[in-house]
Amino acid sequence: MIIKGIHAKNFMQYEELKIENIPRKGIIGIFGDNESGKSTIGAAISFALFGATTKASKGEKDKIISWNGAKSCSVEMLFEIDGHDYSIYRKIRRKGSPEVRLMDVKSNKVLSASARETDAKISQILGFGFKEFRYSTYVAQKELSLILDKKQDRKGVIDRMLGILDLEEARKNSGRKKKERSEKEPDVKRLFEAKAKEKEDLESKAERHAELMNEINKLNEELRSREEEFARIKTDFDNLTAYQKLNDEIKSNEKVKDEKRKSIENIKSELEEIAETEKKIAQLEARLKQTEFVGLEVDYKSKKETEKLFGRFKKDLEKIKDVHSSLKQHVNSEKATFEEQLKGIVRDIQRAESDFNKIASIPVNETEINELESMKKEAEANLKCNIIITVVLCVSAAILSLLVHPVAIILSLPLLFFIYRAISAYKRINAIKSEMENRRQEIADLKFKKSHADETKTELESSKSKKRDLEKDLGEKSRLYEILDSLRFDAFQEVSKSLDSLDAVRYPVLKELKELLSSVATRYPNLMLIDEPVDAFEEKLKSEIEELNEKLMNKRAITDEIKVLKKNIQSKEKLEERKTKLAGEIKEIEDKINELKKKLPSIDYSDEKLNQAEKRKDELDEAIRRIEGNIKDCQGQLKSIEPELKKLPRVKEELLELQKSIRELEQKIRIYGELESVFKETSGNIRKRLGPQIEAYFSWILPRITNNRYKKVRIDSDFNIQAFSEEKHDYVDLGVLSGGTSDQLLISLRLAFARALTPASGQYANSTQFLFLDEPLSSFDPNRRSSFLEFLRSLETSFQQIFVISHLSGLENYVDNHIKIKSDLEAGSKVGYTWE
């Protein structure tokens, strides 16, 4: 199989992976940093072919679908086998069924369109499944020891790829068919014996046929005699039954007569109860005429009207209270605002008076400038004098130095003194200049402030005027707040008094409140006359309504009771009619009983006599049925015997066929036994040949990879592998070797198995194959690495396309083509690559 292109979306940690134009031959390197997505290429190949990866061997969706939150992933791969191009597409979703499709590219024909059908087709084309793929041409990262660790898997994989499993299946089929024939042989023999017995039975049944005909004639004679006697007994039984029915009817009428007499007694009792009820109705009607129930409905209606009126009043009062509360809060807020403004103006006035007094009291003294000017002139004269003296001393010292006069050295001391004095004078001049500038600036600032004193005074007068206006407004707001604070609405008459205390002309803001109070006083004049608190009136009104309601309920209860009692006594006339009617019915029943007694004869029609007749009738009936049954049984036997007698010629033919079948079964059992032995022997021979073959490949590969350190290996019948150690002079298990050496041996072993097994499997058994090695060089030192990569060249005759994944650098010269993988995380984990 040759891989030509891979395209994956949302697969494992990447959003997109697309590799095209993969070279058909040679060693192909897949290089890149760790975690850049190199191994994802192998995982994509595995998933496309088998729907699984080494990390998700059962196709776990969460391990395959991209971890960026994608809902599905897909892989499409183009591959070639023996000149046939195939395209396989797999898509899985976190929720829902998978989508799988295998196509023949040349004919554009869909070969399979379901997961199960595609898996079977891929297994047919390749000759192996996912497990065999991992053991042969696909060496996943960190799975070098897979073929060594799992002994049972290893044996099963080898058996399947060599076709041994097919031979084993054929052997089992032969054994199964042999067993089926062996199990069938006794059944055929038993059938033969049954047919022979059937022949004997048919011959005996012919004799039975004549016997049955004689027995039927005898039974018919007995049947006629029993039927005549049954007819006589039945007539007697019917007459006795009729007399019994008349007697039962008389007893039933007697019973009905007694029940009707009891009904008359019950009616008399009910009439007495009705008389008591009439007395009770008279007592209840007298109670309704008492004083406590007179005019009750009118009082209750009046109180309910008052309650409704009071409810409307309370709603209006609540509205007044809300307006009053809102107005009071508003006035209080304005009052607080005026107070704050007044405080601010007082502070502004105090600050302005303080600033004005300070400015007015500051003196402007310009004599200091003149003094500083005088000191400056004095310092300048002193500087000029020192400079002249310094120049004279310098010139004198220079002349004397030329004459080499000793006085030149003495003059240097006063020269330094006058230089020092000149520098000091210069510094003093600069200090005086700075002081003069500062004083001039201060005087200019004072003059500027004094020029603005009039403005400060004008501002002060304006602030005092604002203060007087605010004090006046604050007084008005305070008086308005006192008015609002004095209002009360807890009693009816307080509402009228509150109305009188509001001056809406002076305080327009009170207009709405006054209108509401005026409206309440107008709408509820009767309530305004009540001299008690609103809450007390409400409680009193509720109490009175509850008391009236309770009385009304008592009155209704008495009225309802009277209605019920009257309804009960309405049936009095009906009871009287029912009593008369029952007396007439009793008379009719007595007459009917007398008539029925006249119809009864004087014969014995007792239960004993009836039971005797019934018993004899049943005995005859049973005997007749038994005889009829015997006749039918005999006739049935005749009907069953007659067609069976016709079977005798056919039974003889079937016996001959069964003898022939027994001979054929014995021959097939012998043939399937021989086939079973042949298949078993063939499987053993293939295993015997494969062991030395793998051992030879292993011994050929091993010294080339290990630089002749290890040369010999041995493989037993269960394919357990050992290598010969020169150090220990013995064969040792691979697991006891060092890490690097063990990896070398394991790679040799995997390559030997792949080389020995791969060409022997698949629909195209002689086609070229690819080899995929994921990070095989991680534990190799540079020398071992170089030897291994050079050795791969020798495998190109067996593996046309060899993929090598590595994160190591400097391997480019050992491969024919290579890809550099780079993941772009900023672009959504897309895999980029370049062919080099």
Side-chain angles (χ1 to χ4, degrees), residues 384-608:
K384 184 176 181 181
C385 180
N386 285 312
I387 289 172
I388 292 171
I389 293 172
T390 300
V391 171
V392 170
L393 289 174
C394 285
V395 172
S396 299
I399 293 170
L400 291 174
S401 297
L402 293 174
L403 299 175
V404 194
H405 198 282
V407 179
I409 298 172
I410 296 172
L411 289 176
S412 61
L413 293 175
L415 177 62
L416 294 172
F417 174 73
F418 282 104
I419 290 172
Y420 170 74
R421 289 195 62 183
I423 292 171
S424 298
Y426 178 75
K427 289 181 177 179
R428 180 170 175 75
I429 290 168
N430 289 333
I432 291 169
K433 285 180 178 180
S434 177
E435 181 68 20
M436 288 176 68
E437 289 296 324
N438 289 337
R439 293 304 299 163
R440 285 193 180 100
Q441 185 64 41
E442 288 178 0
I443 291 169
D445 291 341
L446 288 173
K447 288 180 177 180
F448 179 78
K449 288 180 180 179
K450 281 184 173 292
S451 66
H452 287 77
D454 293 338
E455 294 178 4
T456 303
K457 187 174 181 181
T458 302
E459 183 181 349
L460 181 61
E461 291 299 327
S462 175
S463 296
K464 288 180 179 180
S465 176
K466 287 182 180 179
K467 177 187 174 186
R468 287 191 295 272
D469 293 341
L470 280 173
E471 288 174 343
K472 181 180 177 181
D473 292 340
L474 181 59
E476 287 293 322
K477 292 296 178 184
S478 298
R479 284 191 292 275
L480 179 58
Y481 184 79
E482 289 173 359
I483 292 170
L484 291 171
D485 193 47
S486 65
L487 298 179
R488 297 290 182 272
F489 307 103
D490 295 331
F492 294 101
Q493 293 188 0
E494 288 179 350
V495 177
S496 299
K497 293 178 181 177
S498 298
L499 179 62
D500 297 336
S501 63
L502 296 179
D503 186 359
V505 177
R506 183 175 180 182
Y507 302 106
V509 73
L510 299 175
K511 182 179 179 181
E512 181 184 2
L513 182 61
K514 187 167 183 177
E515 288 176 351
L516 290 171
L517 286 170
S518 177
S519 175
V520 167
T522 303
R523 292 173 62 187
Y524 311 105
N526 294 333
L527 294 178
M528 297 297 103
L529 300 175
I530 298 172
D531 187 14
E532 61 180 322
V534 174
D535 293 340
F537 175 78
E538 184 178 13
E539 290 296 326
K540 179 181 176 182
L541 182 61
K542 285 182 179 179
S543 176
E544 290 175 349
I545 290 172
E546 288 176 359
E547 183 179 353
L548 290 171
N549 188 45
E550 186 177 354
K551 289 180 179 180
L552 279 173
M553 289 177 66
N554 291 334
K555 185 177 180 181
R556 289 194 193 99
I558 294 169
T559 304
D560 293 340
E561 187 177 359
I562 291 171
K563 288 180 180 178
V564 173
L565 292 172
K566 286 183 176 180
K567 185 177 180 181
N568 291 336
I569 66 174
Q570 286 176 358
S571 60
K572 181 178 179 181
E573 294 179 357
K574 292 181 180 180
L575 288 172
E576 292 288 353
E577 292 176 1
R578 177 65 176 161
K579 179 181 174 185
T580 304
K581 184 179 180 182
L582 286 171
E585 289 174 352
I586 291 171
K587 180 67 173 60
E588 291 176 359
I589 291 171
E590 288 176 344
D591 294 341
K592 187 176 182 181
I593 290 172
N594 294 328
E595 289 178 2
L596 289 172
K597 285 180 178 181
K598 292 177 182 178
K599 293 179 181 180
L600 284 175
S602 58
I603 63 172
D604 184 7
Y605 54 86
S606 63
D607 291 340
E608 183 181 356

Side-chain angles (χ1 to χ4, degrees), residues 653-745:
E653 292 178 3
E654 289 176 354
L655 280 172
L656 294 175
E657 291 293 331
L658 287 171
Q659 286 176 344
K660 183 179 178 181
S661 297
I662 291 170
R663 289 195 296 271
E664 290 177 353
L665 280 173
E666 290 173 347
Q667 184 180 4
K668 287 182 179 179
I669 289 169
R670 186 174 62 258
I671 291 170
Y672 283 128
E674 292 174 357
L675 285 174
E676 185 178 14
S677 300
V678 170
F679 287 138
K680 184 175 182 180
E681 184 179 355
T682 304
S683 298
N685 291 337
I686 291 174
R687 283 199 181 94
K688 289 177 183 178
R689 289 197 303 272
L690 181 64
Q693 188 179 0
I694 294 176
E695 191 173 301
Y697 285 144
F698 201 176
S699 299
W700 175 71
I701 293 170
L702 191 59
R704 287 167 172 76
I705 293 182
T706 62
N707 291 325
N708 291 316
R709 183 177 180 185
Y710 294 94
K711 301 178 182 178
K712 295 188 292 182
V713 293
R714 68 182 181 187
I715 301 173
D716 62 17
S717 59
D718 289 331
F719 300 102
N720 296 314
I721 302 102
Q722 290 182 315
F724 186 81
S725 172
E726 298 289 347
E727 299 172 356
K728 297 186 178 182
H729 303 289
D730 194 7
Y731 284 94
V732 297
D733 293 333
L734 301 189
V736 303
L737 302 176
S738 65
T741 301
S742 178
D743 284 351
Q744 284 182 314
L745 295 176

Side-chain angles (χ1 to χ4, degrees), residues 129-370:
F130 176 60
K131 185 183 291 184
E132 293 77 25
F133 179 63
R134 292 173 67 183
Y135 275 83
S136 55
T137 59
Y138 179 62
V139 183
Q141 188 176 4
K142 299 180 182 179
E143 284 200 348
L144 284 176
S145 62
L146 183 67
I147 198 168
L148 186 66
D149 295 342
K150 298 185 177 181
K151 174 182 174 182
Q152 193 61 37
D153 284 355
R154 178 176 69 240
K155 187 175 179 181
V157 168
I158 291 170
D159 284 352
R160 179 171 181 178
M161 297 189 71
L162 290 174
I164 292 175
L165 288 182
D166 295 335
L167 290 173
E168 284 295 309
E169 186 64 26
R171 182 184 66 79
K172 290 177 182 178
N173 286 337
S174 297
R176 189 162 50 249
K177 289 180 179 179
K178 174 187 171 184
K179 184 179 179 182
E180 289 173 359
R181 267 64 178 182
S182 298
E183 291 174 351
K184 188 177 179 180
E185 184 182 17
D187 294 336
V188 176
K189 288 181 177 180
R190 281 193 297 272
L191 185 60
F192 176 80
E193 294 173 357
K195 286 293 178 183
K197 188 175 183 302
E198 184 180 359
K199 177 186 173 185
E200 294 178 3
D201 292 341
L202 290 172
E203 291 174 346
S204 64
K205 285 178 180 180
E207 298 176 0
R208 175 65 176 160
H209 186 272
E211 295 175 358
L212 288 172
M213 291 299 294
N214 292 330
E215 187 174 352
I216 288 172
N217 293 330
K218 291 178 181 179
L219 290 171
N220 283 329
E221 288 295 328
E222 184 179 359
L223 179 62
R224 280 193 294 272
S225 175
R226 298 287 185 180
E227 285 176 345
E228 290 173 358
E229 185 180 0
F230 178 80
R232 291 193 303 271
I233 295 297
K234 187 175 184 302
T235 301
D236 295 340
F237 177 77
D238 291 341
N239 292 331
L240 291 173
T241 303
Y243 299 149
Q244 282 280 5
K245 287 182 179 179
L246 285 173
N247 191 47
D248 291 340
E249 188 176 355
I250 292 169
K251 291 179 180 179
S252 175
N253 285 320
E254 290 285 351
K255 186 177 180 181
V256 172
K257 183 178 72 172
D258 293 339
E259 289 177 354
K260 288 184 181 294
R261 283 177 177 171
K262 289 180 182 178
S263 298
I264 289 174
E265 293 298 324
N266 292 334
I267 289 171
K268 289 179 180 179
S269 176
E270 289 181 16
L271 289 172
E272 292 174 358
E273 289 178 2
I274 288 172
E276 293 294 327
T277 303
E278 289 174 341
K279 291 179 183 179
K280 189 173 182 180
I281 290 171
Q283 292 173 357
L284 292 172
E285 288 177 342
R287 186 181 172 187
L288 287 177
K289 295 177 181 179
Q290 293 178 3
T291 308
E292 62 175 318
F293 296 119
V294 176
L296 188 61
E297 288 81 358
V298 177
D299 292 344
Y300 180 77
K301 184 177 180 182
S302 175
K303 292 296 181 182
K304 289 300 286 185
E305 290 294 332
T306 303
E307 185 183 32
K308 290 180 182 177
L309 184 66
F310 178 74
R312 292 195 294 271
F313 168 78
K314 279 195 70 177
K315 289 181 181 178
D316 292 342
L317 188 61
E318 287 299 322
K319 186 175 180 181
I320 290 170
K321 287 181 178 179
D322 291 342
V323 172
H324 171 261
S325 176
S326 175
L327 187 58
K328 188 177 176 182
Q329 289 177 2
H330 177 70
V331 172
N332 189 41
S333 175
E334 288 183 338
K335 179 184 171 187
T337 303
F338 286 150
E339 288 174 348
E340 287 298 321
Q341 290 178 357
L342 185 60
K343 289 178 183 178
I345 288 175
V346 170
R347 287 194 297 269
D348 291 344
I349 290 172
Q350 291 174 351
R351 184 171 59 252
E353 287 178 344
S354 175
D355 292 343
F356 180 76
N357 292 332
K358 285 180 181 179
I359 292 170
S361 62
I362 294 175
V364 180
N365 188 2
E366 296 185 2
T367 57
E368 292 181 1
I369 300 295
N370 297 329

